[in-house]
Amino acid sequence: MKYFPVSKYSVSFGVSLNKGCPYLFVGDVIVKFAGKKIATMESLLNAPTTIQTLCEDIISHYEQRQYLLTGKAMIVAYSRSVAISIYKKILELRPSWKEKVKVVMTSSNKDPEEWREIIGNKAHKNELAKTFKDNNSPLKIAIVVDMWLTGFDV
């Protein structure tokens, strides 16, 4: 098995190399995804406890290192809904980070109305790219799903 650590709380994700079946490890408990693997993965990764733990780890990691290193951080989310959940949880835990953290992903006609203010339009995304490249800007953390993963020159 190959393991991908998710947090310091012994939550990790792995894929069985024998059968290609994904597993979620929570401490000593192994949850095997069966049937609708993607839907199950989405529900586990977007679960409130998973998002809470992940965001606490991200915040802790960032706050411990922000004075040691300069630069920006990029969080790659599993899906659009996970990205929004991460964004909302980070702002719930750190309301003063409204200018520090942003979501960068393409919009869809199917997006809930509340997402539109967070995602913005194409001009907004272009402005975020420009701002993210500026080391003096308050934007320090970008949550991405399908944008900036390749070919983004910071």
Side-chain angles (χ1 to χ4, degrees):
M1 296 229 174
K2 186 169 183 178
Y3 303 97
F4 304 95
V6 175
S7 79
K8 65 184 178 189
Y9 299 103
S10 300
V11 177
S12 57
F13 171 75
V15 175
S16 167
L17 298 179
N18 299 359
K19 299 177 184 172
C21 184
Y23 293 83
L24 184 71
F25 302 90
V26 183
D28 295 331
V29 178
I30 300 174
V31 179
K32 180 180 176 183
F33 297 121
K36 299 179 181 176
K37 295 176 187 173
I38 299 301
T40 305
M41 177 108 67
E42 174 78 22
S43 64
L44 286 169
L45 294 176
N46 208 11
T49 54
T50 305
I51 296 295
Q52 178 77 30
T53 302
L54 177 66
C55 291
E56 287 172 356
D57 283 354
I58 290 168
I59 290 169
S60 173
H61 182 83
Y62 181 84
E63 289 178 339
Q64 290 173 11
R65 289 161 181 77
Q66 69 180 333
Y67 301 109
L68 300 174
L69 304 169
T70 59
K72 308 288 182 152
M74 190 177 293
I75 301 166
V76 180
Y78 174 77
S79 68
R80 297 161 50 73
S81 62
V82 170
I84 296 295
S85 295
I86 290 170
Y87 175 77
K88 287 179 176 180
K89 182 54 72 175
I90 287 175
L91 289 186
E92 178 185 312
L93 296 170
R94 295 294 185 276
S96 63
W97 285 18
K98 185 109 171 107
E99 295 300 315
K100 184 177 285 203
V101 61
K102 299 290 182 187
V103 175
V104 182
M105 65 183 185
T106 53
S107 56
S108 165
N109 294 344
K110 299 175 185 175
D111 289 340
E113 189 63 36
E114 66 177 299
W115 289 18
R116 293 177 191 200
E117 183 180 318
I118 296 167
I119 299 170
N121 57 22
K122 186 175 181 176
H124 174 72
K125 283 188 271 296
N126 290 339
E127 184 60 31
L128 285 179
K130 181 180 172 186
T131 304
F132 196 70
K133 291 176 185 181
D134 178 4
N135 281 332
N136 297 319
S137 77
L139 176 58
K140 302 295 182 190
I141 302 170
I143 302 169
V144 301
V145 179
D146 53 1
M147 300 185 75
W148 295 7
L149 295 178
T150 59
F152 183 72
D153 185 18
V154 176

